[in-house]
Structure formats: structure tokens, C-alpha cells
Amino acid sequence: MEHIVTVQDAVTAFADFMEPTDAELDAIEREMPVILADVDLLDAYIVTLDRIPSELDARRIRRARRRALAARVALLNRTAPASLPGGAA
């Protein structure tokens, strides 16, 4: 009977490196409004999958689409000046 302890050590040896870094967690935190707005938009679409969208459904989709777009614009406005070379904004 063989013991798999050495194989387990080899598999779990790099477990600490598989965690997200602080920079990755910060990036996720910055993008969270966009992620949540996209989830709301998907929810609005999912509601209408099994039926013909009513006027209320159409308004909900439009509002969710506008919120998602506004969240993306806000994210770009926060990150764009820092990423442009030469100080051009």
C-alpha cells in the first residue's frame, strides 16, 4: 500500500500563491459597481426569458442598461487619467 502524503504535499505546496493579491482585490473592489449593475441587467433580462416583455419589463431593462452604462463610465472616469501616458487627460 502506497501513501500519497508526498503527492499531497506537492499539490498543496503552492496553495498560498493561488490566493488573489491585494492589487487584484483592490481592482475587484473598484469594479464592483459595474459588476452589480451588470447583475441587475442580467436579472432584468432573465425575468423576460419565458414571456413577452411588458412595458414595465422594457422600462426595467432600459433603467438597468442605463445604470450599467453609467457605472462603466464612472469607472473609466476614475481610472483613465491615471493610465494615460504623458499626463494627457
Side-chain angles (χ1 to χ4, degrees), residues 23-39 67-68 71-72 74-76 78-79:
E24 291 170 334
L25 291 173
D26 290 340
I28 292 169
E29 188 67 31
R30 279 192 309 272
E31 294 175 10
M32 191 55 66
V34 174
I35 294 167
L36 294 175
D38 285 344
V39 168
R67 279 193 302 264
R72 289 176 192 278
L75 177 66
L76 286 174
R78 279 193 307 253
T79 59

Side-chain angles (χ1 to χ4, degrees), residues 34-48:
V34 174
I35 294 167
L36 294 175
D38 285 344
V39 168
D40 288 342
L41 180 58
L42 285 173
D43 285 343
Y45 282 130
I46 289 170
V47 167
T48 63

Side-chain angles (χ1 to χ4, degrees), residues 7-72:
V7 175
Q8 181 181 3
D9 290 341
V11 171
T12 59
F14 299 106
D16 292 339
F17 299 111
M18 295 175 66
E19 296 294 322
T21 63
D22 289 339
E24 291 170 334
L25 291 173
D26 290 340
I28 292 169
E29 188 67 31
R30 279 192 309 272
E31 294 175 10
M32 191 55 66
V34 174
I35 294 167
L36 294 175
D38 285 344
V39 168
D40 288 342
L41 180 58
L42 285 173
D43 285 343
Y45 282 130
I46 289 170
V47 167
T48 63
L49 283 178
D50 61 344
R51 65 174 191 240
I52 297 172
S54 66
E55 181 59 33
L56 184 62
D57 293 330
R59 280 189 275 167
R60 182 177 183 213
I61 290 171
R62 282 195 304 269
R63 279 195 309 267
R65 192 178 295 141
R66 283 194 302 265
R67 279 193 302 264
L69 182 59
R72 289 176 192 278

